[in-house]
Amino acid sequence: MSFKSLGLSDALLKAVEEKGYTEPSPIQQKAIPHILDGKDLLASAQTGTGKTAGFTLPVLQRLAETKHPKYRPLRALVLTPTRELAAQVYDNVREYSRYLNIHSAVVFGGVKAASQIATLRRGVDILVATPGRLLDLHDQKALSFKRIEVLILDEADRMLDMGFVRDINKIMSFMPSKRQNLMFSATFSKDIKKLAEGILRNPVSVEAAPQNSTAEMVSQKAFSVDKGKKTALVIKLISEGNWNQVLIFTRTKHGANKLTKKLIGAKISAAAIHGNKSQGARTKALASFKNNTIRVLVATDIAARGLDIPLLPHVINFELPNVPEDYVHRIGRTGRAGASGEAISLVCSEETEYQKEIEKILKKQLKTEVLEGFEPTDTAPPKRAATQKKGSFKKKNGVGASHRGGSSRKSNSPENKSENSNNRNRSRSKRNRRR
């Protein structure tokens, strides 16, 4: 199948060809025709499957085919959970629309709003945004949602995790009820389906891969290791393997900073990316990692969500995530575009329960090794296994939480709150109080 057979215009086909793509990915084949037909869509697709082009191309075509007023009111809105993902989606929109008379922009927190307001007032057809900054700009009357024709929620599952539901509902309350709605998520969880019921109208469901599947090209391994020796093991693996482009996940921002300093001290170039970093620092770190100026990028789950790093060979889970589905997202950074990749997890004694839950959704056991000199010494059962009720180790949905994304107020940002909630492993009662 070709992109032309999907019904795309010559202008879009030219832009796609210049990007070097010749055949549409499975999610593009399934999604594009339905979007061009104006149908609401619920799509399950992980980052790296071509989902961004899957909604960008048909939405751009729909906008280009309809006459717009001279003042260019906002007609299509893409909501994303993080700044990095917003920037990446915008890059795609800009590149694919280069031969169309379409104006686009991106807005998120962490930067001054003045230039964003100026851009919006010049007229924008399609906008990519994080919810918090978008609502701030709407409160300042910098934009209107009254002419929205298409609403796209990208990575809706992460939107739930970060507590964006109320913000999304508020944004939709300002829009016309007659519009096309597109929702993309890594999984079709019960919470996602519930969210979809309140947004989508008679949607078509498409799926690019089985739920919670992992990349077939990713080699997965776990090392059972003493908690205090994890840093030394990471340094050993990277140094002796002469690895370049290694993405390391930590659970906390403090942990990311601490590990980065240790790596630099071991003569391994590294940078950290998390919610307390300024947008400029995050952008610089990611650019340096992509162009191989630094060898290691240490990231928290929230900051790394949606990162597009082509041909990434190594992912290390310095700490296992306490939400098992996040493991799938983490290792999905590698083994993409047909390339092989390696995902290594460092598991101390108190994380064995996390490993078991991850293996349940993988439906297989991780190959686990113990290296001499790094053996775990604490063999006591983890406290959480004895105190936490059965079934409470589930992905939090964040439904009803009221936070704003992209805000420059760090202490109240959903990114910080989501990371902190992961760190503290809140009990179910505490989560209910947040609702």
Side-chain angles (χ1 to χ4, degrees), residues 130-206:
T130 52
R133 175 52 62 92
L134 185 68
L135 282 173
D136 289 341
L137 293 172
H138 184 267
D139 291 344
Q140 297 179 56
K141 302 188 185 305
L143 77 166
S144 170
F145 301 132
K146 293 181 180 180
R147 299 293 294 272
I148 292 288
E149 300 171 20
V150 186
L151 170 65
I152 304 105
L153 299 183
D154 194 13
E155 300 207 349
D157 50 330
R158 182 55 66 175
M159 294 276 199
L160 285 175
D161 290 345
M162 296 175 67
F164 283 126
V165 175
R166 288 187 181 178
D167 281 353
I168 292 172
N169 288 334
K170 187 174 182 180
I171 290 168
M172 289 193 301
S173 71
F174 299 121
M175 297 181 182
S177 58
K178 187 178 180 180
R179 63 177 187 273
Q180 184 178 21
N181 303 285
L182 312 175
M183 184 184 296
F184 285 75
S185 171
T187 63
F188 278 165
S189 67
K190 291 182 180 179
D191 293 321
I192 284 295
K193 291 178 180 178
K194 183 177 180 180
L195 177 64
E197 289 174 0
I199 299 175
L200 309 179
R201 295 177 176 83
N202 300 317
V204 176
S205 295
V206 297

Coordinates of all heavy atoms in Angstrom, one line a residue, residues 130-206:
T130 N 0.0 22.0 25.4 CA -0.2 21.3 26.7 C -1.4 21.9 27.4 O -1.6 23.2 27.2 CB 1.0 21.3 27.6 OG1 1.4 22.7 27.8 CG2 2.2 20.5 27.1
P131 N -2.2 21.2 28.1 CA -3.5 21.8 28.7 C -3.3 23.0 29.5 O -4.1 23.9 29.4 CB -4.1 20.6 29.5 CG -3.5 19.4 28.8 CD -2.1 19.7 28.4
G132 N -2.3 23.0 30.4 CA -2.2 24.1 31.4 C -2.0 25.4 30.7 O -2.7 26.4 31.0
R133 N -0.9 25.5 29.9 CA -0.6 26.7 29.2 C -1.8 27.1 28.2 O -2.1 28.3 28.1 CB 0.7 26.6 28.4 CG 1.1 27.8 27.5 CD 1.1 29.1 28.3 NE 2.0 29.2 29.3 CZ 3.3 29.7 29.2 NH1 3.7 30.1 28.0 NH2 4.1 29.7 30.3
L134 N -2.4 26.2 27.6 CA -3.6 26.5 26.8 C -4.7 27.2 27.5 O -5.2 28.2 27.0 CB -4.1 25.2 26.1 CG -5.2 25.4 25.1 CD1 -4.6 26.0 23.8 CD2 -5.8 24.0 24.7
L135 N -5.0 26.7 28.7 CA -6.1 27.3 29.5 C -5.6 28.7 30.0 O -6.4 29.6 30.0 CB -6.4 26.4 30.7 CG -7.4 25.3 30.3 CD1 -7.5 24.4 31.6 CD2 -8.7 25.7 29.9
D136 N -4.4 28.8 30.3 CA -3.8 30.2 30.7 C -4.0 31.2 29.6 O -4.4 32.3 29.8 CB -2.4 30.1 31.1 CG -2.1 29.3 32.4 OD1 -3.1 29.2 33.2 OD2 -1.0 28.8 32.6
L137 N -3.7 30.8 28.4 CA -3.8 31.7 27.2 C -5.3 32.0 26.9 O -5.6 33.1 26.5 CB -3.1 31.0 26.0 CG -1.6 30.9 26.1 CD1 -1.1 30.1 24.9 CD2 -1.0 32.3 26.2
H138 N -6.1 31.0 27.1 CA -7.6 31.2 26.9 C -8.1 32.2 27.9 O -8.9 33.1 27.6 CB -8.3 29.9 27.0 CG -9.8 30.0 26.7 ND1 -10.7 30.2 27.6 CD2 -10.5 30.0 25.5 CE1 -11.9 30.3 27.1 NE2 -11.8 30.1 25.8
D139 N -7.7 32.0 29.2 CA -8.1 33.0 30.2 C -7.6 34.4 29.9 O -8.3 35.4 30.3 CB -7.5 32.6 31.6 CG -8.1 31.3 32.1 OD1 -9.2 30.9 31.6 OD2 -7.5 30.7 33.0
Q140 N -6.5 34.5 29.2 CA -6.0 35.9 28.8 C -6.7 36.3 27.5 O -6.3 37.4 26.9 CB -4.5 35.8 28.6 CG -3.7 35.5 29.9 CD -2.2 35.5 29.7 OE1 -1.6 36.4 29.2 NE2 -1.6 34.4 30.0
K141 N -7.6 35.5 27.0 CA -8.3 35.8 25.7 C -7.4 36.0 24.5 O -7.6 36.7 23.6 CB -9.2 37.1 25.9 CG -10.2 37.1 27.0 CD -11.1 38.3 27.0 CE -12.0 38.3 28.2 NZ -12.8 37.0 28.3
A142 N -6.3 35.1 24.6 CA -5.4 35.1 23.5 C -5.8 34.2 22.3 O -5.3 34.3 21.2 CB -4.0 34.7 23.9
L143 N -6.8 33.4 22.6 CA -7.4 32.5 21.6 C -8.8 32.1 21.9 O -9.2 32.2 23.0 CB -6.5 31.3 21.4 CG -6.6 30.1 22.4 CD1 -5.9 28.9 21.9 CD2 -6.0 30.5 23.8
S144 N -9.5 31.6 20.9 CA -10.8 31.1 21.1 C -11.0 29.7 20.5 O -10.3 29.3 19.6 CB -11.8 32.0 20.3 OG -13.1 31.5 20.3
F145 N -11.8 28.9 21.2 CA -12.1 27.5 20.7 C -13.4 27.4 20.0 O -13.8 26.3 19.6 CB -12.1 26.6 21.9 CG -10.9 26.6 22.8 CD1 -11.0 26.7 24.2 CD2 -9.6 26.5 22.2 CE1 -9.8 26.7 24.9 CE2 -8.5 26.5 23.0 CZ -8.6 26.6 24.3
K146 N -14.0 28.5 19.7 CA -15.4 28.5 19.1 C -15.4 27.9 17.7 O -16.5 27.5 17.2 CB -16.0 29.9 19.1 CG -16.3 30.4 20.5 CD -16.9 31.8 20.5 CE -17.2 32.3 22.0 NZ -17.8 33.6 22.0
R147 N -14.3 27.9 17.0 CA -14.3 27.4 15.6 C -13.6 26.1 15.4 O -13.2 25.7 14.3 CB -13.7 28.5 14.7 CG -14.4 29.9 14.7 CD -15.8 29.8 14.0 NE -15.7 29.5 12.6 CZ -15.6 30.4 11.7 NH1 -15.5 31.7 12.0 NH2 -15.6 30.0 10.4
I148 N -13.3 25.4 16.5 CA -12.6 24.2 16.5 C -13.4 23.1 15.6 O -14.6 22.9 15.9 CB -12.3 23.6 17.9 CG1 -11.3 24.5 18.6 CG2 -11.8 22.1 17.8 CD1 -9.9 24.4 18.1
E149 N -12.8 22.5 14.7 CA -13.4 21.5 13.9 C -12.9 20.1 14.2 O -13.6 19.1 14.1 CB -13.1 21.7 12.4 CG -13.6 23.0 11.8 CD -13.1 23.3 10.4 OE1 -12.7 22.4 9.8 OE2 -13.2 24.5 10.0
V150 N -11.6 20.0 14.7 CA -11.0 18.7 15.0 C -10.2 18.8 16.3 O -9.4 19.8 16.5 CB -10.0 18.3 13.9 CG1 -9.5 16.8 14.3 CG2 -10.7 18.3 12.6
L151 N -10.5 17.9 17.3 CA -9.8 17.8 18.5 C -9.0 16.5 18.6 O -9.6 15.4 18.4 CB -10.7 17.9 19.7 CG -10.1 17.6 21.1 CD1 -9.1 18.7 21.5 CD2 -11.2 17.5 22.2
I152 N -7.7 16.6 18.8 CA -6.9 15.4 18.9 C -6.3 15.3 20.3 O -5.6 16.2 20.8 CB -5.7 15.4 17.9 CG1 -6.3 15.5 16.5 CG2 -4.9 14.1 18.0 CD1 -6.1 16.9 15.9
L153 N -6.5 14.2 21.0 CA -5.8 13.9 22.3 C -4.7 12.9 22.0 O -5.0 11.7 21.7 CB -6.8 13.3 23.3 CG -8.0 14.2 23.7 CD1 -8.8 13.5 24.7 CD2 -7.5 15.6 24.2
D154 N -3.5 13.3 22.1 CA -2.3 12.4 21.9 C -1.9 11.9 23.2 O -1.7 12.6 24.2 CB -1.2 13.2 21.2 CG -0.2 12.2 20.6 OD1 -0.4 11.0 20.5 OD2 0.9 12.7 20.2
E155 N -1.6 10.6 23.2 CA -1.1 9.9 24.5 C -2.1 10.1 25.6 O -1.8 10.6 26.7 CB 0.3 10.3 24.9 CG 1.3 10.0 23.8 CD 2.7 9.7 24.3 OE1 3.0 10.0 25.5 OE2 3.5 9.3 23.5
A156 N -3.4 9.8 25.3 CA -4.5 10.0 26.3 C -4.3 9.2 27.6 O -4.7 9.7 28.6 CB -5.8 9.6 25.6
D157 N -3.6 8.1 27.5 CA -3.3 7.3 28.7 C -2.5 8.1 29.7 O -2.7 8.1 30.9 CB -2.7 6.0 28.4 CG -1.5 6.0 27.5 OD1 -1.5 7.0 26.7 OD2 -0.6 5.2 27.6
R158 N -1.5 8.8 29.2 CA -0.6 9.7 30.0 C -1.4 10.9 30.5 O -1.1 11.4 31.6 CB 0.6 10.1 29.3 CG 1.6 10.9 30.1 CD 2.0 10.2 31.3 NE 2.8 9.0 31.1 CZ 3.3 8.3 32.1 NH1 3.2 8.7 33.4 NH2 4.0 7.2 31.8
M159 N -2.3 11.4 29.7 CA -3.2 12.5 30.2 C -3.9 12.0 31.4 O -4.0 12.8 32.4 CB -4.2 12.8 29.1 CG -3.6 13.4 27.8 SD -3.3 15.2 27.9 CE -3.2 15.6 26.2
L160 N -4.4 10.8 31.4 CA -5.1 10.3 32.6 C -4.2 10.2 33.8 O -4.5 10.6 34.9 CB -5.7 8.9 32.3 CG -7.0 8.9 31.5 CD1 -7.3 7.4 31.2 CD2 -8.1 9.6 32.1
D161 N -3.0 9.7 33.6 CA -2.0 9.5 34.6 C -1.6 10.8 35.3 O -1.4 10.9 36.5 CB -0.7 8.9 34.1 CG -0.9 7.4 33.7 OD1 -1.9 6.8 34.1 OD2 0.0 6.9 33.0
M162 N -1.6 11.9 34.5 CA -1.1 13.2 35.0 C -2.3 14.0 35.5 O -2.0 15.2 35.9 CB -0.3 13.9 33.9 CG 1.0 13.2 33.5 SD 1.8 13.9 32.1 CE 2.4 15.5 32.8
G163 N -3.5 13.5 35.5 CA -4.6 14.2 36.1 C -5.1 15.4 35.2 O -5.5 16.4 35.8
F164 N -5.1 15.2 33.9 CA -5.6 16.3 33.0 C -7.1 16.2 32.7 O -7.5 17.0 31.9 CB -4.8 16.2 31.7 CG -3.4 16.8 31.8 CD1 -2.3 16.0 31.4 CD2 -3.1 18.0 32.3 CE1 -1.0 16.5 31.5 CE2 -1.9 18.5 32.3 CZ -0.8 17.8 31.9
V165 N -7.8 15.3 33.2 CA -9.2 15.1 32.8 C -10.0 16.4 33.0 O -10.8 16.7 32.1 CB -9.8 13.9 33.6 CG1 -11.3 13.8 33.2 CG2 -9.1 12.6 33.2
R166 N -9.9 17.0 34.1 CA -10.8 18.2 34.3 C -10.4 19.3 33.3 O -11.2 20.1 32.8 CB -10.6 18.7 35.8 CG -11.4 17.8 36.7 CD -11.4 18.4 38.1 NE -12.1 17.5 39.1 CZ -12.2 17.7 40.4 NH1 -11.7 18.9 40.9 NH2 -12.8 16.9 41.1
D167 N -9.1 19.5 33.1 CA -8.6 20.5 32.2 C -9.1 20.2 30.8 O -9.6 21.1 30.0 CB -7.1 20.5 32.1 CG -6.5 21.3 33.3 OD1 -7.3 21.9 34.1 OD2 -5.3 21.4 33.5
I168 N -9.1 18.9 30.4 CA -9.6 18.5 29.0 C -11.1 18.8 29.0 O -11.6 19.4 28.0 CB -9.3 17.0 28.8 CG1 -7.8 16.8 28.6 CG2 -10.1 16.6 27.5 CD1 -7.4 15.3 28.6
N169 N -11.8 18.5 30.0 CA -13.3 18.7 30.0 C -13.6 20.2 29.9 O -14.5 20.7 29.2 CB -13.9 18.1 31.2 CG -14.0 16.6 31.2 OD1 -14.0 16.0 30.1 ND2 -14.0 16.0 32.3
K170 N -12.8 21.0 30.6 CA -13.0 22.5 30.6 C -12.7 23.0 29.2 O -13.4 23.9 28.7 CB -12.1 23.1 31.6 CG -12.3 24.6 31.8 CD -11.5 25.2 32.9 CE -11.8 26.7 33.1 NZ -11.0 27.3 34.2
I171 N -11.6 22.6 28.6 CA -11.3 23.0 27.2 C -12.4 22.6 26.3 O -12.8 23.5 25.4 CB -9.9 22.4 26.8 CG1 -8.8 23.0 27.6 CG2 -9.7 22.6 25.3 CD1 -7.5 22.2 27.4
M172 N -12.9 21.4 26.4 CA -14.0 21.0 25.5 C -15.3 21.8 25.7 O -16.1 21.9 24.7 CB -14.3 19.5 25.6 CG -13.1 18.6 25.1 SD -13.6 16.9 25.0 CE -14.1 16.5 26.7
S173 N -15.5 22.3 26.9 CA -16.7 23.0 27.2 C -16.8 24.3 26.4 O -17.8 24.9 26.2 CB -16.8 23.3 28.7 OG -15.9 24.3 29.1
F174 N -15.6 24.8 25.9 CA -15.6 26.0 25.1 C -15.7 25.8 23.6 O -15.7 26.7 22.9 CB -14.2 26.8 25.4 CG -14.0 27.2 26.8 CD1 -12.9 26.8 27.6 CD2 -15.0 28.0 27.5 CE1 -12.7 27.1 28.9 CE2 -14.8 28.4 28.8 CZ -13.7 27.9 29.5
M175 N -15.7 24.5 23.2 CA -15.8 24.2 21.8 C -17.2 23.9 21.3 O -18.1 23.6 22.1 CB -14.9 22.9 21.6 CG -13.5 23.0 21.9 SD -12.6 21.5 21.5 CE -10.9 21.9 22.1
P176 N -17.4 24.0 20.0 CA -18.7 23.6 19.5 C -18.9 22.1 19.6 O -17.9 21.3 19.6 CB -18.6 24.0 18.0 CG -17.1 24.1 17.7 CD -16.5 24.5 19.0
S177 N -20.1 21.7 19.9 CA -20.3 20.3 20.1 C -20.2 19.5 18.8 O -19.8 18.3 18.9 CB -21.8 20.1 20.6 OG -22.7 20.6 19.7
K178 N -20.4 20.1 17.7 CA -20.2 19.4 16.4 C -18.7 19.5 16.0 O -18.3 20.6 15.5 CB -21.1 20.0 15.3 CG -21.1 19.2 14.0 CD -22.1 19.8 13.0 CE -22.0 19.0 11.7 NZ -23.0 19.5 10.7
R179 N -18.0 18.5 16.1 CA -16.6 18.5 15.7 C -16.1 17.0 15.6 O -16.8 16.1 16.1 CB -15.7 19.2 16.8 CG -15.7 18.6 18.1 CD -14.8 19.2 19.1 NE -14.8 18.4 20.4 CZ -15.6 18.5 21.4 NH1 -16.6 19.4 21.3 NH2 -15.5 17.7 22.4
Q180 N -15.0 16.8 15.0 CA -14.4 15.5 14.9 C -13.4 15.3 16.1 O -12.6 16.2 16.4 CB -13.6 15.4 13.6 CG -13.0 14.0 13.4 CD -12.3 13.8 12.0 OE1 -11.9 14.8 11.4 NE2 -12.2 12.6 11.6
N181 N -13.4 14.2 16.7 CA -12.6 13.9 17.9 C -11.7 12.7 17.6 O -12.2 11.6 17.2 CB -13.4 13.6 19.1 CG -14.4 14.8 19.4 OD1 -13.9 15.8 19.9 ND2 -15.6 14.6 19.1
L182 N -10.4 12.8 17.9 CA -9.5 11.7 17.7 C -8.7 11.5 19.0 O -8.2 12.4 19.6 CB -8.5 12.1 16.5 CG -9.1 12.6 15.2 CD1 -8.0 13.0 14.3 CD2 -10.0 11.6 14.6
M183 N -8.7 10.2 19.4 CA -8.0 9.9 20.6 C -6.9 8.8 20.4 O -7.3 7.7 19.9 CB -8.9 9.5 21.7 CG -8.3 9.2 23.1 SD -9.5 8.6 24.3 CE -10.5 10.0 24.4
F184 N -5.7 9.1 20.7 CA -4.6 8.1 20.5 C -4.1 7.7 21.9 O -3.8 8.6 22.7 CB -3.5 8.7 19.7 CG -3.9 8.7 18.2 CD1 -4.7 9.7 17.7 CD2 -3.3 7.8 17.3 CE1 -5.1 9.7 16.4 CE2 -3.7 7.8 16.0 CZ -4.5 8.8 15.5
S185 N -3.9 6.4 22.1 CA -3.4 5.9 23.4 C -2.6 4.7 23.2 O -2.7 4.0 22.2 CB -4.6 5.6 24.3 OG -4.2 4.9 25.5
A186 N -1.6 4.5 24.1 CA -0.8 3.3 24.0 C -1.5 2.0 24.3 O -1.2 1.0 23.9 CB 0.4 3.4 25.0
T187 N -2.6 2.2 25.1 CA -3.4 1.0 25.5 C -4.9 1.3 25.5 O -5.3 2.5 25.5 CB -3.0 0.5 26.9 OG1 -3.4 1.5 27.9 CG2 -1.6 0.2 27.0
F188 N -5.7 0.3 25.4 CA -7.1 0.4 25.5 C -7.6 0.0 26.9 O -8.3 -1.0 27.1 CB -7.8 -0.5 24.5 CG -7.9 0.1 23.1 CD1 -8.2 -0.7 22.0 CD2 -7.7 1.5 22.9 CE1 -8.3 -0.1 20.7 CE2 -7.8 2.0 21.6 CZ -8.1 1.2 20.5
S189 N -7.1 0.7 27.9 CA -7.5 0.3 29.3 C -8.9 0.7 29.5 O -9.6 1.4 28.8 CB -6.6 1.1 30.3 OG -6.8 2.4 30.2
K190 N -9.5 0.2 30.7 CA -10.8 0.5 31.0 C -11.0 2.0 31.2 O -12.0 2.6 30.8 CB -11.2 -0.2 32.3 CG -11.3 -1.7 32.2 CD -11.8 -2.3 33.5 CE -11.9 -3.9 33.4 NZ -12.3 -4.5 34.7
D191 N -10.0 2.7 31.8 CA -10.1 4.1 32.0 C -10.1 4.9 30.7 O -10.8 5.9 30.6 CB -8.9 4.6 32.9 CG -9.0 4.0 34.3 OD1 -10.2 3.9 34.8 OD2 -8.0 3.6 34.9
I192 N -9.3 4.4 29.7 CA -9.3 5.1 28.4 C -10.6 4.9 27.8 O -11.2 5.9 27.2 CB -8.2 4.5 27.6 CG1 -6.8 5.0 28.0 CG2 -8.4 4.8 26.1 CD1 -6.6 6.5 27.8
K193 N -11.2 3.7 27.8 CA -12.5 3.5 27.2 C -13.6 4.4 27.9 O -14.5 4.9 27.2 CB -12.9 2.0 27.3 CG -12.0 1.2 26.4 CD -12.4 -0.3 26.5 CE -11.5 -1.2 25.6 NZ -11.8 -2.6 25.8
K194 N -13.5 4.6 29.2 CA -14.4 5.4 29.9 C -14.3 6.9 29.5 O -15.3 7.6 29.3 CB -14.2 5.3 31.4 CG -15.2 6.1 32.2 CD -14.9 5.8 33.7 CE -15.9 6.6 34.6 NZ -15.7 6.4 36.0
L195 N -13.0 7.3 29.3 CA -12.8 8.7 28.9 C -13.3 8.9 27.5 O -13.9 9.9 27.1 CB -11.3 9.0 28.9 CG -10.8 10.3 28.4 CD1 -11.4 11.5 29.3 CD2 -9.3 10.4 28.4
A196 N -13.1 7.9 26.6 CA -13.5 7.9 25.2 C -15.0 8.1 25.1 O -15.6 8.8 24.2 CB -13.0 6.7 24.5
E197 N -15.8 7.4 26.0 CA -17.2 7.4 26.0 C -17.7 8.8 26.1 O -18.8 9.2 25.6 CB -17.8 6.5 27.0 CG -17.6 5.0 26.7 CD -18.1 4.1 27.9 OE1 -18.5 4.7 28.9 OE2 -18.0 2.9 27.8
G198 N -17.0 9.7 26.9 CA -17.5 11.0 27.1 C -17.0 12.0 26.1 O -17.4 13.2 26.1
I199 N -16.2 11.6 25.2 CA -15.6 12.5 24.2 C -16.0 12.1 22.7 O -16.4 12.9 21.9 CB -14.1 12.6 24.3 CG1 -13.7 13.1 25.7 CG2 -13.5 13.4 23.2 CD1 -12.2 13.1 25.9
L200 N -15.8 10.8 22.4 CA -16.0 10.4 21.0 C -17.5 10.0 20.7 O -18.2 9.5 21.6 CB -15.1 9.1 20.8 CG -13.7 9.3 21.2 CD1 -12.9 8.0 20.9 CD2 -13.0 10.4 20.4
R201 N -17.9 10.2 19.5 CA -19.2 9.9 19.0 C -19.2 8.8 18.0 O -18.6 9.0 16.9 CB -19.9 11.2 18.5 CG -20.1 12.3 19.5 CD -20.7 13.5 18.8 NE -21.1 14.5 19.8 CZ -20.2 15.4 20.3 NH1 -18.9 15.3 19.9 NH2 -20.6 16.3 21.2
N202 N -19.7 7.7 18.3 CA -19.7 6.5 17.4 C -18.3 6.3 16.8 O -18.2 6.3 15.5 CB -20.7 6.7 16.3 CG -22.2 6.9 16.8 OD1 -22.6 6.1 17.7 ND2 -22.9 7.8 16.3
P203 N -17.3 6.1 17.6 CA -16.0 6.1 17.1 C -15.6 4.8 16.4 O -16.2 3.7 16.7 CB -15.1 6.2 18.3 CG -15.9 5.6 19.4 CD -17.4 6.0 19.1
V204 N -14.7 4.8 15.5 CA -14.1 3.7 14.9 C -12.8 3.3 15.8 O -12.1 4.3 16.1 CB -13.6 3.9 13.5 CG1 -12.9 2.7 12.9 CG2 -14.8 4.3 12.6
S205 N -12.6 2.1 16.1 CA -11.5 1.7 16.9 C -10.5 1.0 16.0 O -10.8 0.1 15.3 CB -11.9 0.8 18.1 OG -12.7 1.5 19.0
V206 N -9.2 1.4 16.1 CA -8.1 0.8 15.4 C -7.0 0.5 16.3 O -6.8 1.2 17.3 CB -7.7 1.6 14.2 CG1 -8.8 1.8 13.2 CG2 -7.1 3.0 14.6

